[in-house]
Amino acid sequence: MDKLVSIIVPVYNAEKYIRETIACVREQTYGEWELLLVDDCSSDHTRERIEICAEETGGERIRLIRQPANLGAARARNRGLQEAKGRYIAYLDADDLWEPEKLERELAFIRSREAAFAFTGYEFADETGRGTGKVVHVPERINYRQALSNTTIFTSTVLFDTARIKKEMLEMPVIKSEDTALWFRILRAGYTAYGLDENLVRYRRAGNTLSSNKLEALRRIWNLYRRAEGLGVAESAYHFCFWAVRAVKRRI
């Protein structure tokens, strides 16, 4: 299993997108992967569509894992992590898309850097999955202090090498903005995240995003600084201002 990539996808009511997301994995130029789709008690036809895709693929490369109750994305990813057989762990959200060479390019990159943690650039996409032309470029590397003010690490771009970082370290905390909280925890432990500045992922965003969702995102980041990271008010405000400016720049 030294070459196997375990791709973990938390799934909840994703019938509209899940076949396309599975297809982008099947089209990868790197062939040593398993796809773990953790269904968080969907109430639509998500499970049926996953089962059809699994039958079309054959074998056990695509695995549907059922949660006993609706427990949220963090616990779904952690369940997938427990079930994963691969040396490498990648996360993919159920409505996002990878370019065909994503795994091949990022694996070569993480090996060349002898790194535990890598991430890539990405492009915003509309609801149909078509790229908007707005590409987010990423730095060569990010440490903990830099990450506090620069959350450019996007979940569907990350890759971990469990030969260099303990698998238990990758378990997501069960809090809001659990992915960012995980990056902070890993980097705080002394790891460096290495950025591959290539557009290899499409981040699908619905066109009707509400202002209240943006306000909720601001609250989540502030609470991460204050509660999860234990930063004081002044230091939290410092990092929050830089984070907000960069977040706006990524979207305009």
Side-chain angles (χ1 to χ4, degrees), residues 3 7 19 23 29 34 38 55 62 65 71 78 80 84 94 131 148 150 154-155 160 162 183 201 227 234:
K3 298 180 180 180
I7 305 161
R19 285 185 66 91
T29 56
E34 63 170 355
V38 186
E55 290 176 5
I62 296 178
I65 301 168
L71 302 172
N78 291 343
L148 288 172
N150 188 1
F154 174 47
T155 309
F160 297 100
T162 62
W183 318 151
V201 176
R227 297 176 183 175

Side-chain angles (χ1 to χ4, degrees), residues 163-200:
R164 299 181 183 278
I165 185 171
K166 290 183 179 180
K167 196 173 178 180
E168 298 76 34
M169 176 78 76
L170 306 182
E171 291 188 358
M172 289 199 171
V174 184
I175 59 175
K176 292 181 177 181
S177 295
E178 68 278 356
D179 46 0
T180 301
L182 177 61
W183 318 151
F184 286 171
R185 188 177 70 199
I186 292 170
L187 298 176
R188 187 173 1 98
Y191 292 92
T192 297
Y194 288 82
L196 173 60
D197 191 21
E198 296 182 14
N199 177 21
L200 298 173

Side-chain angles (χ1 to χ4, degrees), residues 93-207:
D93 284 346
D95 54 351
D96 292 332
L97 299 167
W98 285 351
E99 299 302 330
E101 68 276 14
K102 190 267 188 186
L103 284 182
E104 182 178 8
R105 296 286 300 147
E106 193 170 18
L107 274 167
F109 176 77
I110 199 171
R111 289 166 176 164
S112 70
R113 297 298 189 277
E114 297 184 345
F117 183 2
F119 61 104
T120 77
Y122 60 94
E123 180 179 10
F124 288 106
D126 61 23
E127 194 167 2
T128 69
R130 187 182 299 111
T132 64
K134 179 58 180 177
V135 175
V136 175
H137 294 280
V138 297
E140 292 183 4
R141 63 188 69 188
I142 290 181
N143 61 29
Y144 175 63
R145 303 303 299 178
Q146 293 165 334
L148 288 172
S149 302
N150 188 1
T151 56
T152 57
I153 302 173
F154 174 47
T155 309
S156 292
T157 74
V158 302
L159 183 69
F160 297 100
D161 182 354
T162 62
R164 299 181 183 278
I165 185 171
K166 290 183 179 180
K167 196 173 178 180
E168 298 76 34
M169 176 78 76
L170 306 182
E171 291 188 358
M172 289 199 171
V174 184
I175 59 175
K176 292 181 177 181
S177 295
E178 68 278 356
D179 46 0
T180 301
L182 177 61
W183 318 151
F184 286 171
R185 188 177 70 199
I186 292 170
L187 298 176
R188 187 173 1 98
Y191 292 92
T192 297
Y194 288 82
L196 173 60
D197 191 21
E198 296 182 14
N199 177 21
L200 298 173
V201 176
R202 276 173 280 159
Y203 171 25
R204 196 194 306 259
R205 300 170 72 218

Side-chain angles (χ1 to χ4, degrees), residues 3-27:
K3 298 180 180 180
L4 184 66
V5 181
S6 296
I7 305 161
I8 300 170
V9 183
V11 181
Y12 179 70
N13 288 349
E15 66 175 1
K16 186 176 180 180
Y17 305 118
I18 197 62
R19 285 185 66 91
E20 191 177 4
T21 300
I22 293 172
C24 83
V25 174
R26 293 172 63 180
E27 293 166 0

Side-chain angles (χ1 to χ4, degrees), residues 202-221:
R202 276 173 280 159
Y203 171 25
R204 196 194 306 259
R205 300 170 72 218
N208 59 347
T209 303
L210 300 175
S211 296
S212 59
N213 292 339
K214 297 182 178 67
L215 290 173
E216 175 62 18
L218 294 174
R219 282 193 291 267
R220 289 182 178 189
I221 291 298

